[in-house]
Amino acid sequence: MSYLVLARKYRSRNFTEMVGQDHVVQALTNALTTQRLHHAYLFTGTRGVGKTTVSRILAKSLNCQGPDGNGGITATPCGVCQACTDIDSGRFVDYTELDAASNRGVDEVQALLEQAVYKPVQGRFKVFMIDEVHMLTNTAFNAMLKTLEEPPEYLKFVLATTDPQKVPVTVLSRCLQFNLRPMAPETIREHLTYVLGQENVASEPQALRLLARAARGSMRDALSLTDQAIAFGSGQLQEATVRQMLGSVDRSYVFRLIEALATGDGKTVVETSEALRLNGLSAASTLEEMSTVLQRMAVVQAMGGAAVADDDSDPEAHDTARLASLMPVDETQLLYSICLHGRADLGLAPDEYAALTMVLLRLLAFKPQGTQPTAEKKTLNRPAAPAPTPVAPVSAPATATAQRPSVPKPAAIQPWDDEPVAPDTEQSALPPPGQVLPVRESARPAPHSDADDDGRPDVPDDYEPNWPVAPAEYEPVATKIVAVPVRTQTESRADVAAQQAPHALVPTEEGDFWHTTVQQLIKAEAINAMVRELALQSQLIARDTDQWILRVERESLNQAGTRDRLTNALKTAGHDVKLVVEIGRVNDCPARRNAAASEEKQLAAEKIIFDDPFVQSMMRDFGAKIVPGSIKPL
């Protein structure tokens, strides 16, 4: 007796048995009930979500004849008539399934379309189901466009694909598209519970949770993994055996790691990582489980106790809530992000467990130490301006005959004097930096009666008032201080460079000769790669008729092969000498001369721009700035 796998044995036979695709079932059911039928349907979605199953149920609904043979189009196929049983068994002559992954050429599509001219033999409609339609070639797509747009009234197209982005828009526009969603783990777990109840297989709830998570939204994968788990566990589904089969990490390790990270216990983190290595548990699975727990912790932190109350059936809910209370919200988000990106680092490291340990230590390194307050976050709000310090009133003179100090002509604003003011003078203490003293205005009329055109008295330049001031009349008058922004011109690089230390280049007579020689070798392409680098970075210290002494700063340039190739290049250029290379400080080499020349050109170009009258006016009047690095010499 052959065994039928669970994925095929429990394939849905009608729309009422469909799991997790209520939006598609409702739309198709209403369309069949009202008989508003489209001529082409496109079902998209990931593997194992029911695309082929929906197409077969739709074909049965279109061709069902009822138990008595008098039925019509219905949303609830009977499953017992000739058409229903033949479609389930795959031998209905008017239902054709084409695998586009292996029949992707134009010849196969044309052979299929040649059958469209013939009316159905047994059923009410011909149904052409093309699976993985995105695998068809462009020529095959073009061949079916006309028939797909205006098929005979007895022909229905059903297309299925896992990658709708590869389907031409000309095909998409001719189809009614339905997107089958990945199924939630809770939906898969409930269906597995029903299937195992029908099969009389004992199972633990936590084992079903592991299988539902491992399926990743695919019901077919979940049933296939269940088949494997039943065989692995000798007819039983236990958490330990399922976890061992899947290679999943026990959540106790994950909870221990997260708790150690929350408390800053680095020793426990390293010991737990070593325990994972000894037990042979997957490093990628560890980070995946940690990401799942951290995501649930973030939900608990956002919802409070409501998240725990809604999931009391999960035995790990209380542990998740406990960890959520130990860790700040921002730290949870940071750890979640590091775990996600850390999975990409596992394949780059020579040892995935070493990479896992580094990811865990990275989680610990970004944790704030102790209870010290974290750094102040940046904000766009400007700090509140300090309240202005009131100006102290001027003390009254000791006698009524005291003379008021002379008032100078306000020709220019003088800077503050740093010297302290004596306490026995009439002036008050200077205000803090940034505060301006108010100007005292007197209500007394000017002694001169003539006035200017603007109505103000005409005061001679040499006039000095000499009024007796009574204590009651000498009061400060508060004035409003208006801040005026000061525009400063941006310094050019030439000005900045002039203030810096002089260039390290110290020209020498031998340096002139060596620079000319190296430039000739480079122009003639006699040296390249490391030989050219040695010539550019070296300084000619001394030269004789048969021997030249060079000095370099890096030992890596002083290689025997490099020296020999440079010697041969010099010999070809007419300098038959022996090179001696020493290590030391270099003050004059061709590379520094070239850099100095380039810097001089750059500064000259920037000076031309900065000195341009139009640029100066734009900077002065509109606050324009020159983008650094945007000026290049011609």
Side-chain angles (χ1 to χ4, degrees):
M1 180 179 179
S2 61
Y3 173 73
L4 190 63
V5 298
L6 296 179
R8 295 180 58 189
K9 183 178 180 180
Y10 289 93
R11 183 191 291 268
S12 302
R13 307 293 180 181
N14 50 60
F15 287 124
T16 58
E17 296 178 2
M18 286 288 298
V19 178
Q21 307 297 343
D22 295 338
H23 63 294
V24 178
V25 171
Q26 181 179 353
L28 294 178
T29 300
N30 295 337
L32 291 167
T33 302
T34 59
Q35 296 194 9
R36 298 178 62 90
L37 301 175
H38 203 273
H39 61 269
Y41 296 88
L42 175 63
F43 298 113
T44 65
T46 185
R47 73 278 179 273
V49 293
K51 298 184 294 296
T52 305
T53 300
V54 171
S55 67
R56 292 182 180 179
I57 297 176
L58 180 60
K60 288 193 295 183
S61 300
L62 294 173
N63 293 287
C64 180
Q65 300 172 358
D68 55 357
N70 297 323
I73 299 175
T74 177
T76 56
C78 64
V80 296
C81 66
Q82 185 70 23
C84 291
T85 55
D86 288 349
I87 291 175
D88 286 336
S89 59
R91 60 175 182 268
F92 190 64
V93 68
D94 293 324
Y95 177 70
T96 304
E97 286 189 3
L98 178 67
D99 180 20
S102 55
N103 302 278
R104 58 193 306 264
V106 64
D107 296 334
E108 290 83 357
V109 173
Q110 286 180 347
L112 177 66
L113 295 178
E114 287 176 357
Q115 306 177 19
V117 299
Y118 303 105
K119 290 188 176 182
V121 177
Q122 296 180 356
R124 193 175 295 110
F125 292 94
K126 272 182 174 292
V127 180
F128 290 166
M129 194 275 180
I130 305 179
D131 197 9
E132 299 299 336
V133 69
H134 68 275
M135 300 292 289
L136 291 178
T137 62
N138 291 333
T139 309
F141 274 122
N142 294 332
M144 64 182 296
L145 283 180
K146 187 60 179 178
T147 308
L148 184 63
E149 182 179 6
E150 297 179 356
E153 59 181 5
Y154 52 80
L155 179 60
K156 302 293 181 184
F157 281 94
V158 179
L159 312 180
T161 177
T162 56
D163 196 355
Q165 287 79 15
K166 295 183 179 180
V167 180
V169 292
T170 52
V171 175
L172 295 176
S173 65
R174 290 167 166 82
C175 300
L176 201 62
Q177 184 173 348
F178 294 94
N179 184 24
L180 279 71
R181 304 164 184 165
M183 301 181 192
E186 292 77 12
T187 303
I188 297 178
R189 179 169 54 86
E190 292 175 0
H191 189 65
L192 292 181
T193 303
Y194 166 76
V195 171
L196 294 176
Q198 296 294 321
E199 294 289 321
N200 295 322
V201 176
S203 61
E204 295 181 358
Q206 192 61 22
L208 298 184
R209 291 179 185 273
L210 293 174
L211 292 173
R213 285 201 297 263
R216 300 184 182 277
S218 172
M219 185 62 72
R220 183 174 61 223
D221 290 1
L223 292 173
S224 300
L225 289 174
T226 304
D227 259 330
Q228 182 181 355
I230 291 174
F232 188 82
S234 301
Q236 293 183 351
L237 290 181
Q238 297 179 352
E239 179 185 359
T241 57
V242 171
R243 193 180 295 278
Q244 183 180 359
M245 180 195 75
L246 297 176
S248 302
V249 178
D250 190 354
R251 283 288 177 90
S252 60
Y253 290 105
V254 176
F255 290 146
R256 191 188 313 167
L257 284 173
I258 296 179
E259 185 174 1
L261 292 172
T263 58
D265 189 357
K267 180 180 179 182
T268 303
V269 171
V270 177
E271 291 177 351
T272 307
S273 176
E274 187 64 24
L276 293 173
R277 179 198 297 269
L278 296 177
N279 293 329
L281 299 178
S282 172
S285 178
T286 302
L287 293 179
E288 182 179 354
E289 292 291 332
M290 289 185 65
S291 301
T292 303
V293 174
L294 288 169
Q295 181 266 336
R296 297 184 61 190
M297 288 171 54
V299 173
V300 171
Q301 291 172 345
M303 298 180 60
V308 182
D310 294 341
D311 199 9
D312 287 337
S313 59
D314 187 0
E316 299 173 350
H318 294 283
D319 291 334
T320 304
R322 179 179 58 85
L323 293 176
S325 62
L326 296 178
M327 189 173 293
V329 177
D330 53 350
E331 188 174 342
T332 304
Q333 298 291 337
L334 176 62
L335 298 189
Y336 177 78
S337 178
I338 294 179
C339 286
L340 284 184
H341 292 84
R343 294 180 61 186
D345 298 342
L346 297 181
L348 302 177
D351 181 7
E352 68 171 3
Y353 291 102
L356 173 63
T357 304
M358 290 303 298
V359 172
L360 296 176
L361 294 179
R362 189 183 310 158
L363 297 173
L364 191 63
F366 280 96
K367 178 180 176 60
Q369 299 294 332
T371 58
Q372 298 178 359
T374 57
E376 182 180 357
K377 296 181 179 180
K378 294 183 178 179
T379 177
L380 294 178
N381 298 329
R382 297 182 180 274
T389 305
V391 181
V394 180
S395 57
T399 61
T401 59
Q403 302 295 324
R404 181 171 178 169
S406 60
V407 180
K409 180 180 179 181
I413 300 177
Q414 301 296 330
W416 291 105
D417 190 2
D418 295 336
E419 297 182 2
V421 180
D424 55 348
T425 62
E426 277 191 83
Q427 298 179 353
S428 60
L430 291 177
Q435 182 177 344
V436 183
L437 282 175
V439 180
R440 298 186 181 93
E441 298 180 357
S442 176
R444 297 179 181 271
H448 200 279
S449 59
D450 295 336
D452 295 333
D453 295 336
D454 55 359
R456 292 178 298 179
D458 187 10
V459 182
D461 294 341
D462 57 351
Y463 174 75
E464 294 185 3
N466 189 11
W467 300 326
V469 180
E473 296 179 357
Y474 190 62
E475 296 293 339
V477 180
T479 59
K480 183 177 181 180
I481 308 302
V482 180
V484 179
V486 179
R487 288 203 176 104
T488 58
Q489 179 179 342
T490 306
E491 294 182 350
S492 64
R493 287 187 56 190
D495 300 334
V496 177
Q499 300 174 4
Q500 296 177 349
H503 199 274
L505 175 64
V506 181
T508 60
E509 182 178 355
E510 298 294 339
D512 297 337
F513 171 78
W514 181 239
H515 179 263
T516 304
T517 303
V518 172
Q519 293 300 114
Q520 293 175 353
L521 294 177
I522 295 177
K523 185 177 181 180
E525 298 183 356
I527 56 176
N528 54 22
M530 290 296 295
V531 182
R532 181 178 59 187
E533 193 67 19
L534 172 61
L536 289 173
Q537 300 293 339
S538 60
Q539 178 179 355
L540 181 60
I541 302 300
R543 56 191 173 106
D544 202 348
T545 56
D546 58 349
Q547 177 175 299
W548 291 1
I549 300 177
L550 299 179
R551 179 183 297 170
V552 294
E553 292 184 347
R554 290 184 292 175
E555 181 68 31
S556 59
L557 296 175
N558 188 17
Q559 302 295 330
T562 307
R563 292 197 307 269
D564 294 341
R565 289 196 293 270
L566 182 57
T567 302
N568 295 333
L570 291 173
K571 183 177 181 180
T572 304
H575 305 284
D576 189 6
V577 294
K578 176 183 177 181
L579 289 181
V580 177
V581 181
E582 62 181 26
I583 307 300
R585 182 178 179 85
V586 174
N587 296 324
D588 184 12
C589 64
R592 293 191 179 181
R593 286 177 175 256
N594 294 339
S598 300
E599 182 70 15
E600 184 178 356
K601 292 181 180 179
Q602 178 68 26
L603 294 177
E606 293 183 359
K607 188 176 187 304
I608 293 175
I609 298 298
F610 275 97
D611 293 345
D612 186 85
F614 176 74
V615 175
Q616 290 290 335
S617 63
M618 293 292 291
M619 297 172 62
R620 179 178 62 255
D621 299 334
F622 301 102
K625 294 182 180 179
I626 298 178
V627 179
S630 61
I631 302 176
K632 300 295 181 183
L634 297 178

